[in-house]
Amino acid sequence: AYEAAMLTLLGLGRPLRVLVAEDNSTNQIVAKAALTKFGAIVDVVENGAEAVAAAARAPYDVILMDIQMPEMDGVEATRAIRASGSAA
């Protein structure tokens, strides 16, 4: 599975840009380490409001969204990102 994932990512011809929206610091570290291992460029935010702002600032190939976060939950943030046209 690891080799297949690496071949897929290498086939893109560029690093995958990933936004991780997660309020738990341990989960942030684990997610960033795992994604970086695959060569991804990873940005981490702590809540849904920050995710919406980040998605407006930069294009992401993938957004990994925690559902339960302070200020704005993942479902609400995902709806806001989709409504803004920031996500494909």
Side-chain angles (χ1 to χ4, degrees):
Y2 174 80
E3 291 82 11
M6 286 303 293
L7 287 173
T8 300
L9 293 174
L10 290 172
L12 294 174
R14 61 174 177 77
L16 194 65
R17 191 166 171 97
V18 180
L19 175 64
V20 175
E22 170 63 62
D23 61 324
N24 180 289
S25 61
T26 301
N27 292 346
Q28 290 173 356
I29 292 166
V30 171
K32 187 168 185 170
L35 292 165
T36 301
K37 181 178 178 182
F38 283 98
I41 298 169
V42 182
D43 293 329
V44 177
V45 295
E46 294 185 3
N47 61 57
E50 290 178 9
V52 172
R57 286 191 306 269
Y60 289 97
D61 298 303
V62 176
I63 299 175
L64 301 176
M65 188 78 69
D66 185 8
I67 297 298
Q68 296 180 1
M69 294 181 289
E71 294 188 42
M72 178 185 282
D73 69 30
V75 174
E76 189 179 353
T78 299
R79 286 184 182 134
I81 291 168
R82 287 182 175 170
S84 73
S86 297

